[in-house]
Each structure stands twice: as structure tokens, then as C-alpha cells.
Amino acid sequence: MATTDVGWIDAPAKRRPLVDRLHGWVTTVDHKRLGILYVSYGLLFLVIGGIEATILRLQLVRPHNGFVSPQVFNQMFTMHGTTMIFFVAMPLVFGFANYLVPLMIGARDMAFPRLNAFSFWLTAFSGLFLYFSFVGGFGLYGAGTAPDVGWFAYAPLTSKTFSPGHSTDYWTLALLVSGFGSIGTAVNIVATVVSMRCPGMTLGKMPLLVWLNLVMAGLVILAVSPLTAAQLMLLVDRYLGGHFFDTQAGGSAVLWMHFFWVFGHPEVYVLVLPAFAFASEIIPVFSRKAMFGYPVMVAATVAIGFISMSVWAHHMFTVGMTSAGNTFFVLTTMAIAVPTGIKIFNWLATMWGGKIYFKAPMLFCIAFLFQFLLAGLTGVMLSSAPFDWQLGNSYFVVAHFHYVIVGGILFCIFAAFYYWYPKVTGRMYSEALARVHFVLFVIGFHLTFDSMHVPGLLGMPRRIYTYEPGRGWDTWNFVVTVGVAFQAVGVLAFVFNLVLSYVRGRPAGNDPWDAWTLEWSTTSPPPEYNFASVPVVKSRRPLWDLKHPEDPDWKYE
Amino acid sequence: MSTATASAAWELPSRGKVGMFSLFASEAAIFVIFIVAYLFYAGKSISGPTASVLHAPVLLTVCLLASSLTIHRAVAALRRGDVGAFAGFWVATIVLGAVFLGGTALEWRHLIREEGLTIRTNLLGTTYYSLVGLHAFHVTVGVLAMATVALLTAGGHVKREHAARVDLLSLYWHFVDVVWIAVFLVVYVAGR
Amino acid sequence: MSPTSIFAPLSTPAESIFELSVLVLAIAAAIFVVVAALLAYSVVKFRKRRNDDGREPAQVYGSLQVELAWTITPVIIVLVLFLASARVVFAVQDAPRTKDSLEVTVVGHQFWWEYRYPGQNFVTANELHVPVGTRTFLNLLSADTDHSFWVPRLGGKTDLIPNHPNRMWIEPRETGVFLGQCAQYCGTQHAKMLLRVYVDSREDFDRWVREQAALARNDARVAEGRRVFEQTACINCHTVSGTPANGRFGPDLTHLMSRETLGAGLVSNTPDNLRAWIRRPDDFKPGSLMPPMGLGESQLDAVTAYLATLQ
């Protein structure tokens, strides 16, 4: 009998060459790898966006400062906002969704793995394209480089007249392309959730994270598309001589605002719903109780999704809409506070009567609850149009939305990192380092963003590269800048923890948190095929049923 | 939770259909914005040709709507396994789509040369060419995709088991038709 | 005491907003106290103790009554806030003209403010004068891109958008100078498009109007400077009434010396600052749209002397 060389069966696994391994990452269509790629991309740009913010704050640390020129400042705030929304928050959100949704529904991958990869690389390319503007944007008149029109790029500032050169084009094209990537991922998420759930997992038995990402995906489909349309119109204006937003030809600057905010408002719900998703998975596990009011949480989510498409002009209370128009948007905006508040109450009720473990994921979620409550309340203040006539376009608004995005969304993202780190890497992170991150970041966040409300109340508008002394803004701006240092060190501790624990963390096992959803039933990290055999579920917490056969959830749901 | 196979049949909607309908939602949202711009600016051009220079392309519309019928027949034929009939109706669809595009090109040539209406002339020009052009772009994409399938069919690669996938492409084509009905009503009926 | 605090209103619309804001803040504060207390309580009371028995707590899946309670209460609060806000929206936006109300047209430019007094037949720039105790309606236009008029102690802000005229009003109760600045990003020098509103007594206002409506002084001693002004490109951008200078791109200079500041509130209006500004505006306001005119030193002296006579 001829023997073939089967030495590889018994030999220890040899590491494939680096080129092979990198090629594997570049050509992957595996949702877990794409999730990691998205999240790493988002983390990288978080640091870059943070550097831009630091430059802004150094310039504003005192009045009439000369740290950067007005031109550079205006590019910095434009790039900071654009980066953080499109190349940090969206990739992080899509990354976690990509990794977790198939695992949580017992599927082997997303519905369209190749579309998944394509969407990621579109986003990745467009981010690099946007940053190329720093070196490549010079136009005919020498004006240009990075976009400096603000992240919402109001017309007619973006017309060729007021923005010669290519800086605005980098903004438009980068977001147009990344928009296609976002829509691709959203279509993928919807198809995955609708068509690929494991047997027994009806819509009413899906984890809340899956529900929230489904509604998020629906919002992306309905909201990013209007932005795509508006950007195509802007390109027609800039390059084909069109007049969509050309006020000299009878065009309307307000029309751009409507189109942009029809995108821009649901966009913030695209970012916050996944944050709610993380909180909805973490708080129950670390309170040792099932989520309180699951059906209400689903209903509230769907309600938020619908109502969020009707509130957009609360960003436009000062542009001169009619009193009836303004009043309508006051009503819808206040209305959306109701389902949002209901969610906060349900999280509290989940903790009530439970047994709270103060591990890093829960610490960040508790801070999220406190901060999101405040952010929601400042939002209610802004929803009252007359109050907004004072507060709008001031540092009060900047403080409000950073409170939501950093104090709410980013805190939940940190929580999610710590919670699922063991699953993704197979290692436990350092709890001590995580606490250092937590304390530093909470101190820094509050120093910066609590203080930031006050200059707004005292009349400081946003997007100004310097300000006048003697208006009572100086000290507050100084404190705001000081907080940046704490947040920076906190983020460093976080990144250090991620890297160090990967190398030296103790093995985590399948289920280090004693949790209840399907991802914890497979190995850490999961094999490429996720599950050896497709799971069959009977309740919302399949692993609770396994661990408590005498008292399974399906008896009570 | 168990890993035994479920006893009752676990049937979920086809992911291809869900994906395609999600795409329709996104495209519909894009078209709505262009339609809103068209209607908002109707009658507001400061100078230049007015909507009276636009003449409803009835014949082209009939062609496009007829192509929905032919593609429907094509898919039905493929489901039956009748590749020959499929190919015939499929090519008819492509031809009708191409006629639509050709007719649109002729209409535009007339508007540009004889009426002096270009995309930069005034608000009407900008909104008209953008909206109708966006739709024509989608028709073009559909025609190219169908041509690809036609080539594959000529090579003998398209068989009965591909009916579901071909059906997805036909759904796209029907969507393009529905959008045309909306565009037609907006441009040639409501906007005049 | 900040001169731009929204909590120190001195004009009717700002006061209406302030009263509403007190209600909104009170409700928000109450909600915060209640919910934050519940959060703090639950974090302390339900923490895992050291002597934990390792059993899972009772699993509670929901409660219809509780959900109804914390749905209905917020709905009522929303209703109250909505009605209170709507009332102020209509009261402020649809306020009628009064017998003695003044009409001023404000035109936003990159990066300065044009004020046209159509009833009184003159144009000025950057420093708005209004009489105390009466309603002044501001008709807001823009010559280029979007701006926003925000003087917190006098009223909420309203945007100036090209091809989209807006209207707002103020009704100051006390005389004084009120500060603000442009509140909609409009380009490089958005930060330096400052606002100064002078609320004058009736007599002071009427005197100011008479001075502004008069034609420009024609002082023979500065004829040389006037010649430089009229023969370089100055007249293409600036207006000096009663002279060939009738440009509209830059501020009207007819009564330049009646203003306390230069460059839209940037620096004091002194001869030295004026001369330096004309020499190279970018030294003060890099990115302002006035180019350096390349004047020689003696030409600068002459022009400055001429402009200094435009009282």
C-alpha cells in the first residue's frame, strides 16, 4: 500500500506565512472577520478624530489664541465631525452588528457575505479618500485641501462660488461612496435577520440586540438614501452647472437643509439604537435578571424608528419656517422622548431587584444611563422651539450632542468592547486597567461636556475659531479643554488593555459571564462556521433554558 | 435550546427577495427626494423654457410597461423549464428597454437643440434631466444586467434551477417600471 | 455678569423665551432628580453583596401597569411642554406691527452686517441703532451665504438665508449696547462677524437718524485723500453718499466715523487702526474679502485723513 505523507495530522500547526494571513483578511467574506475589520477601522479613526478635537480645543483654550489659523480650524471641525460620524461611529456600529447578529440568531454568516465585504471596502476606501484631501485638494485658485464647510455642508457655502477648489468634492464623494457601503450593509442586516434565523427563533424570540439592529438597518435604508440624492444634486450643481441649491437662479438653500436633516436626524438614531442594543444585552446579564418588558422595548424601538423620520426640522427652528411648521416639529420631537424614556425606565426596572455585578461592561452601562438621561433632558430643552431660538447653533447644542454621542453611545460601545472581548479573542481583558479607563474617562467626559453647556447659555455660537474675552466664556472653555487630557489618557489605557490582554489575558472559555444568548454557546473565538449544528430555540434566552431546565423562560414568555 | 432538527417546517422568506425589496426601499427614498425637488421647483424657473416644452412620451411608456409583461412571461417560461421561450421573451424585454432609452435620447436631443433646455439652463432643466436621467440610468443598469443573462443563456448556462435568481432581476425591472409611472405622473401630468 | 447671557433678557421676545425656559428647566430638573435618584438607589440597594448565595434573583419579565404608568406620565408632561412652547412660538413669530414700530432691513455679508433704514432713507453698516421701548422689525436678507442674527439679551436668533427673506423683531426695555455675533457658519471669518446693537433714547435715536441721513461731509482739506479714494478701486466696493463712490460689495462708509468699531466689531475705530486696516485687512481678519489695496505710505495717510472726516 502506498503511503502518502500525512505528517500534517500529527505535527503542531505551523503558522502560515504573514502574506497568506494578510491575504486571508483582505479577501475574507466571514462576518466575524469583517466585523473585526470594521471595528479596528473605527478605532483607528476614533484616535484621528480625537486628535482633531484636541487641536480644536487647544485653539479655544483661551480667547484670541493663535494655535491654528482660522482656515485650519474650520477644516478641523469639519473633518472632526465628518470623521466621527461616518468613519468612527458607523463602522463601529456595523462592525458589532456584523459580528454579533449572525451568532445571536444561530446563523453561519450574513445573508450576502460578498456584499458584506464589498460594503466594508467601500467604506474603508472612502475614509482614506476623504483624508487624501489634506494633501490633494488644491483646486484651480489654490484654494482647497480638506473640506471646511462643516459636516452638514450647508448650501450655498458649498457652491463653486464660495468653495472653489476641490475640498467640498472630497466631502461629497467620500460620503457618497461610504453611503453605498452603508446601504449595502443595511440591506444585508435586514435580509439576515428576516431570512436566516435558526429554527424556533420567531421575531418575538430574537435578542433585543437583533431587533435594534434590524430597525437601525431599516433607518439606514430610508435615511442615507436622501443624503445620497442630495449629494448627487450638489455634484450636478458643482460640475454640470445645475441650480438645485443655486439661490441666484431661484434655487433654495433651505431645500438642502431639509434633505440633509431628513438624513441627519435618523442618522443619530442609527448610531444610538445599537448603543441601546448593547445596554439591553449587558444590563440584564450583570443584573442577573431577564430584560424587563421585552415586548414594550420592541414596540418602543419600532416607535422610535418611525417617529425619528418625522422630527428632522428641529435642526431648522431658526431658518424661518412658519409658526405652524415649527410647532409640528416641536410636537414630533417631544413625542419621541416618550418611547426613549420608556426604555430608560425598563433598564432601571431590569436592575431593580437584581444582583448587580460591577464589571467593566456594567460600569460603562450605568454611566450611560445617567448620562443618556441628562442628554435626553437637554434634548427636550432644545425641542422647545423658542428655547432653541436661543440655544440653537450654540455650544449648548454641541454639548448636548456630544453628551449623547460620547456619554451615551461611546460609553455603550466601550461596554460592548469589554463584554464581547472574551468571545472575539478568547481572552479576558484586565479588569484593573478597565477601571482605570473608566475613572479617567468619566472624569474627563464630565469636565469637558458638563462645562461645555455653559458658554452656550452665555451666548457662544459654534464653529468659531476664536472668541471675544469679557463675555464670561473664558474659564469654561479652559475647563473644557482640560477634560480632553483625561479622556485621551483613558482611551490610551483602553487601547493598551485591548492589545495587552490579547497577548497575556487568561483564557476566557465559552461563557465567562454566565450569559444567555446563543453566541455564548460556541467557542471563544467561534469557529469559522459558528455552530457545529444549527441551534433550535424555544425562548428568548436559550442558554438560561439549558442552565435552568426546571425553570425555563418559555414557560413564562 | 437543542441541536436536534426542528420537527415543524421552519420557513423564512427568501433572502434574495428580502434583499431586493430592501434595495427598492432605498431607491424609492432616493427617487422621492428628486421628485420633491422637481415638484418644489415646478414653475419657479426665473427664465428659460417652461414645462410646456415637455411632451409626454406615451409610446416609450407603452414600451416600458410592455417590457414588464414580457419579462414576466420570460420568468414563467423558465420556471416551466422552457429555455427557448424564456430566451425569446427575455430578448424582447431587452429590446423594449433599449427602445425606451433610445427614445429618451432622441427626446433629449430635441429639447437641447430645438428648445434650448439643458441641465444648466434653469431650475426646470436641472430638475428634469436629473430626475429622468436618474431613472434612465437605472433602466440602463437593468438592460446591461439582462444582456449579461442573455449572453449566459446563449452559452447554455441558464437553466430551470436558476429561475428564482432570474426572478430577482425581473423584480428589479418591475421596480424600474413602477418608478417610471411615478416619474411620468410627476413630470408630464402634475408638474405642467 | 455676561453681556450675552440668555438668562438676562431685556427685550420682549427674549423675555418670553426666558419665561418658557424656566418652565422647561424646572420640569427637566424634576425628572432628572427622580430618575437619577432611582438609578442611584438601585445601584446601591441591588448590588451583589459579598455574602451572596450564588442563586439567581427572581426573574421578573414585565408589568403592564408599570409600563402604562411610565408611558402616561411622560405623555402628559410632553403635552404640557408642547402647549407652553406652541403658545410662545405663535406669540413671537406672528407678532403684529405697532403704530411706532421701526423697520430695518439687515443684509448679511461675508463677514459684515449691512443695515438699511428704508423709512429714513439711509444705509449704514455693522452697528445697529434702535429706539428704546418700541418694536423694531428686522427684515433679514443675505447677499451671499447663510448667516444668523443673534443678540441673546434682545431675542432668539433668526437666520439670514439668500433667496429666503426672514423677519424677526426686538423690543428693548433699556438703553445700552448689546452684543452678539453671527450664529450660522458662513466661512473663514464667521467668528469675527460681531454684532453691536445700540438701544438709544428717543432723542438720541432721532439725532443719530438725522446724522446718518445726511450726505457725506465734503471737507476741502482732505481733497487729496478723497482723490486717492475715488481713483483707486475703493469706489467699486464702497458707497459714500453724494460722491461717485457707489459700490455695494463692502460697507457704506458715508458716516464711518460715527461707528465705535471697525471690521464688524473687531477693533476700536481709531485712526491708527483704520490706517492699518486699509493697508492690509488680513492683518486683522485673515480671509476677510477686502484685499490690500497696495497703497503707498503717503496715499494711506491721505485716505485715512479723508475717511476720518466722514462723521
Side-chain angles (χ1 to χ4, degrees):
Chain A
M1 187 179 81
T3 50
T4 46
D5 178 34
V6 289
W8 56 265
I9 289 181
D10 297 326
K14 266 205 302 219
R15 293 272 264 185
R16 280 162 47 224
L18 181 63
V19 172
D20 266 4
R21 282 186 279 135
L22 284 176
H23 181 258
W25 278 93
V26 169
T27 56
T28 187
V29 296
D30 176 359
H31 73 100
K32 297 185 291 301
R33 286 200 154 190
L34 287 168
I36 292 171
L37 283 172
Y38 262 120
V39 165
S40 310
Y41 189 88
L43 264 186
L44 171 67
F45 276 90
L46 176 67
V47 171
I48 296 177
I51 293 173
E52 286 159 346
T54 308
I55 294 174
L56 294 172
R57 287 317 317 173
L58 284 173
Q59 168 63 12
L60 292 174
V61 72
R62 58 173 189 187
H64 291 168
N65 202 10
F67 182 60
V68 289
S69 70
Q71 289 87 344
V72 169
F73 184 92
N74 296 339
Q75 288 169 5
M76 283 298 117
F77 74 71
T78 304
M79 292 295 275
H80 167 78
T82 307
T83 301
M84 289 302 200
I85 299 275
F86 294 99
F87 301 109
V88 177
M90 297 278 272
L92 287 173
V93 155
F94 287 146
F96 276 99
N98 244 312
Y99 197 98
L100 295 171
V101 167
L103 281 168
M104 282 181 148
I105 63 174
R108 297 208 188 285
D109 205 319
M110 296 281 274
F112 308 115
R114 280 170 295 188
L115 175 66
N116 207 2
F118 182 59
S119 302
F120 169 73
W121 289 108
L122 279 179
T123 304
F125 166 72
S126 58
L128 295 175
F129 180 75
L130 176 69
Y131 272 80
F132 182 72
S133 67
F134 274 120
V135 292
F138 290 99
L140 198 55
Y141 304 102
T145 74
D148 61 351
V149 289
W151 87 278
F152 34 89
Y154 273 179
L157 194 58
T158 48
S159 67
K160 274 265 196 228
T161 320
F162 298 108
S163 288
H166 292 303
S167 49
T168 299
D169 300 317
Y170 278 94
W171 181 88
T172 312
L173 290 167
L175 296 191
L176 190 65
V177 171
S178 87
F180 290 134
S182 303
I183 294 174
T185 303
V187 167
N188 223 336
I189 292 174
V190 172
T192 305
V193 172
V194 172
S195 303
M196 304 196 35
R197 282 164 285 131
C198 64
M201 189 178 283
T202 59
L203 288 175
K205 292 200 180 19
M206 301 194 304
L208 279 176
L209 182 141
V210 180
W211 261 113
L212 282 149
N213 277 288
L214 175 65
V215 176
M216 175 271 283
L219 274 180
V220 169
I221 288 171
L222 290 176
V224 172
S225 312
L227 179 65
T228 305
Q231 288 169 330
L232 289 171
M233 293 176 178
L234 181 61
L235 286 172
V236 166
D237 274 13
R238 284 178 61 87
Y239 283 100
L240 297 179
H243 306 292
F244 278 110
F245 310 113
D246 175 7
T247 51
Q248 300 288 309
S252 167
V254 177
L255 196 64
W256 169 270
M257 296 179 192
H258 278 294
F259 291 162
F260 183 86
W261 289 114
V262 161
F263 151 76
H265 193 82
E267 167 69 9
V268 313
Y269 288 94
V270 165
L271 301 182
V272 92
L273 290 181
F276 292 166
F278 303 145
S280 303
E281 297 300 326
I282 292 170
I283 291 176
V285 168
F286 289 86
S287 308
R288 305 314 303 165
K289 275 179 70 215
M291 184 72 218
F292 187 93
Y294 174 101
V296 172
M297 290 296 267
V298 172
T301 304
V302 174
I304 289 174
F306 273 109
I307 303 177
S308 77
M309 304 264 357
S310 73
V311 305
W312 77 89
H314 66 227
H315 299 268
M316 296 164 59
F317 279 144
T318 60
V319 310
M321 295 188 297
T322 62
S323 31
N326 279 331
T327 307
F328 172 79
F329 286 101
V330 171
L331 182 62
T332 54
T333 307
M334 290 186 174
I336 208 171
V338 174
T340 314
I342 288 175
K343 281 180 169 277
I344 298 185
F345 302 140
N346 274 282
W347 286 314
L348 274 178
T350 306
M351 292 163 64
W352 195 274
K355 256 186 213 176
I356 302 174
Y357 286 72
F358 295 106
K359 300 283 184 189
M362 190 60 175
L363 288 175
F364 279 96
C365 280
I366 293 172
F368 152 75
L369 285 173
F370 178 74
Q371 285 150 191
F372 188 71
L373 169 67
L374 276 169
L377 291 171
T378 58
V380 168
M381 292 178 211
L382 290 163
S383 73
S384 169
F387 205 178
D388 185 74
W389 293 336
Q390 290 281 27
L391 298 173
N393 249 339
S394 77
Y395 262 87
F396 191 87
V397 176
V398 180
H400 160 75
F401 69 68
H402 281 94
Y403 231 85
V404 182
I405 298 185
V406 182
I409 296 171
L410 188 60
F411 269 69
C412 280
I413 289 179
F414 286 144
F417 262 102
Y418 287 119
Y419 183 57
W420 279 290
Y421 185 86
K423 175 56 54 182
V424 174
T425 63
R427 309 260 189 172
M428 287 306 285
Y429 60 85
S430 153
E431 192 68 43
L433 255 182
R435 288 187 175 191
V436 167
H437 167 208
F438 178 73
V439 169
L440 283 174
F441 204 82
V442 166
I443 292 175
F445 169 79
H446 284 278
L447 269 176
T448 295
F449 296 108
D450 291 5
S451 316
M452 194 183 274
H453 290 86
V454 182
L457 296 169
L458 297 182
M460 182 176 179
R462 56 189 290 195
R463 302 177 155 186
I464 52 177
Y465 73 91
T466 189
Y467 51 93
E468 304 309 299
R471 296 196 178 190
W473 305 345
D474 311 12
T475 316
W476 297 103
N477 270 289
F478 180 78
V479 175
V480 168
T481 302
V482 166
V484 172
F486 287 82
Q487 290 173 78
V489 179
V491 171
L492 275 171
F494 168 64
V495 175
F496 187 58
N497 198 350
L498 294 179
V499 174
L500 186 73
S501 304
Y502 187 72
V503 180
R504 292 198 3 202
R506 75 182 152 75
N510 291 12
D511 184 14
W513 306 119
D514 195 1
W516 303 311
T517 41
L518 284 176
E519 74 271 29
W520 305 104
S521 73
T522 185
T523 58
S524 303
E528 200 177 329
Y529 48 83
N530 292 349
F531 302 99
S533 41
V534 174
V536 178
V537 305
K538 264 182 105 165
S539 79
R540 295 170 188 146
R541 296 190 296 169
L543 268 62
W544 170 279
D545 294 347
L546 271 182
K547 295 171 186 173
H548 301 269
E550 77 293 349
D551 191 28
D553 263 3
W554 49 261
K555 278 201 182 149
Y556 303 97
E557 281 178 3
Chain B
M1 177 192 112
S2 75
T3 53
T5 43
S7 44
W10 180 248
E11 287 270 343
L12 292 172
S14 104
R15 56 194 166 104
K17 282 222 171 101
V18 175
M20 195 50 88
F21 280 107
S22 304
L23 179 68
F24 296 162
S26 161
E27 297 273 34
I30 298 182
F31 275 101
V32 161
I33 298 296
F34 277 93
I35 287 174
V36 166
Y38 189 90
L39 290 171
F40 181 73
Y41 284 137
K44 292 211 175 90
S45 296
I46 295 178
S47 61
T50 63
S52 57
V53 310
L54 302 173
H55 302 292
V58 176
L59 183 61
L60 297 183
T61 304
V62 168
C63 282
L64 199 63
L65 294 180
S67 71
S68 258
L69 269 160
T70 54
I71 205 174
H72 180 76
R73 301 288 295 271
V75 172
L78 191 59
R79 280 197 210 281
R80 288 196 310 267
D82 187 350
V83 179
F86 161 73
F89 281 114
W90 195 255
V91 168
T93 311
I94 295 175
V95 167
L96 288 167
V99 166
F100 178 87
L101 288 173
T104 305
L106 285 174
E107 154 111 4
W108 284 13
R109 196 173 74 156
H110 164 76
L111 284 171
I112 294 170
R113 287 196 183 172
E114 272 108 61
E115 306 286 3
L117 183 71
T118 67
I119 199 169
R120 54 174 19 153
T121 308
N122 56 11
L123 290 173
L124 174 70
T126 302
T127 53
Y128 169 80
Y129 284 104
S130 300
L131 177 58
V132 175
L134 185 68
H135 176 263
F137 169 76
H138 284 78
V139 174
T140 309
V141 167
V143 166
L144 288 172
M146 286 191 289
T148 310
V149 171
L151 276 168
L152 289 169
T153 310
H157 300 292
V158 177
K159 304 199 179 57
R160 186 178 191 163
E161 59 262 32
H162 301 120
R165 293 204 177 171
V166 172
D167 186 36
L168 287 176
L169 185 47
S170 83
L171 282 176
Y172 174 80
W173 190 251
H174 290 311
F175 174 73
V176 165
D177 264 9
V178 169
V179 171
W180 176 248
I181 295 175
V183 172
F184 183 90
L185 288 172
V186 164
V187 172
Y188 300 103
V189 178
R192 300 207 48 184
Chain C
M1 184 51 218
S2 165
T4 47
S5 166
I6 69 171
F7 292 127
L10 270 182
S11 147
T12 311
E15 277 156 4
S16 309
I17 293 173
F18 175 71
E19 281 154 21
L20 175 64
S21 74
V22 168
L23 173 70
V24 175
L25 280 167
I27 293 179
I31 297 173
F32 171 72
V33 164
V34 168
V35 182
L38 285 170
L39 175 63
Y41 179 78
S42 52
V43 160
V44 170
K45 175 94 159 78
F46 301 111
R47 67 190 191 283
K48 176 190 89 85
R49 312 297 162 111
R50 266 179 225 281
N51 55 355
D52 176 60
D53 60 4
R55 288 189 4 206
E56 308 280 35
Q59 301 293 300
V60 180
Y61 297 88
S63 153
L64 187 59
Q65 296 93 316
V66 163
E67 301 280 6
L68 274 171
W70 64 44
T71 305
I72 293 181
T73 315
V75 166
I76 295 175
I77 296 177
V78 160
L79 227 53
V80 167
L81 281 174
F82 166 68
L83 290 170
S85 305
R87 197 176 58 80
V88 177
V89 168
F90 282 95
V92 171
Q93 276 196 257
D94 301 338
R97 296 168 60 161
T98 58
K99 231 183 338 90
D100 55 352
S101 61
L102 175 67
E103 298 275 332
V104 179
T105 302
V106 182
V107 183
H109 294 256
Q110 283 179 321
F111 305 97
W112 58 279
W113 304 91
E114 176 183 342
Y115 299 116
R116 312 179 74 85
Y117 288 70
Q120 291 73 21
N121 236 326
F122 66 87
V123 174
T124 183
N126 289 328
E127 292 179 6
L128 175 68
H129 284 250
V130 298
V132 70
T134 51
R135 223 163 254 203
T136 298
F137 283 89
L138 303 174
N139 294 300
L140 304 171
L141 309 173
S142 170
D144 39 42
T145 181
D146 304 328
H147 304 276
S148 191
F149 188 95
W150 190 28
V151 180
R153 298 189 74 190
L154 296 182
K157 64 181 68 66
T158 307
D159 294 352
L160 292 79
I161 300 174
N163 200 27
H164 186 96
N166 276 334
R167 192 168 161 79
M168 63 174 282
W169 61 285
I170 55 176
E171 195 173 47
R173 275 195 290 112
E174 287 178 21
T175 57
V177 184
F178 295 91
L179 304 179
Q181 62 189 94
C182 176
Q184 181 66 265
Y185 178 64
C186 51
T188 313
Q189 280 297 340
H190 161 65
K192 294 291 193 173
M193 197 171 152
L194 306 178
L195 281 163
R196 297 176 74 85
V197 180
Y198 291 77
V199 179
D200 299 328
S201 67
R202 194 77 233 186
E203 307 81 57
D204 285 343
F205 178 72
D206 289 339
R207 184 174 0 102
W208 179 81
V209 165
R210 279 196 302 276
E211 285 166 7
Q212 295 293 315
L215 291 178
R217 291 242 181 111
N218 190 3
D219 190 331
R221 287 171 296 171
V222 291
E224 174 58 22
R226 182 176 157 161
R227 195 188 58 78
V228 173
F229 184 85
E230 288 175 6
Q231 287 176 4
T232 45
C234 311
I235 61 172
N236 291 326
C237 286
H238 292 285
T239 298
V240 180
S241 65
T243 77
N246 61 356
R248 300 265 298 266
F249 188 73
D252 186 303
L253 299 178
T254 311
H255 300 284
L256 174 63
M257 299 321 287
S258 71
R259 306 207 268 265
E260 286 187 334
T261 59
L262 294 175
L266 207 57
V267 291
S268 320
N269 186 358
T270 65
D272 285 339
N273 281 340
L274 180 58
R275 187 181 192 280
W277 171 271
I278 300 168
R279 187 163 203 267
R280 201 166 29 236
D282 271 15
D283 283 351
F284 291 88
K285 206 166 172 177
S288 82
L289 296 174
M290 173 164 161
M293 298 312 292
L295 297 178
E297 297 303 311
S298 62
Q299 287 176 308
L300 272 171
D301 289 334
V303 165
T304 309
Y306 166 62
L307 290 173
T309 67
L310 297 179
Q311 304 285 351

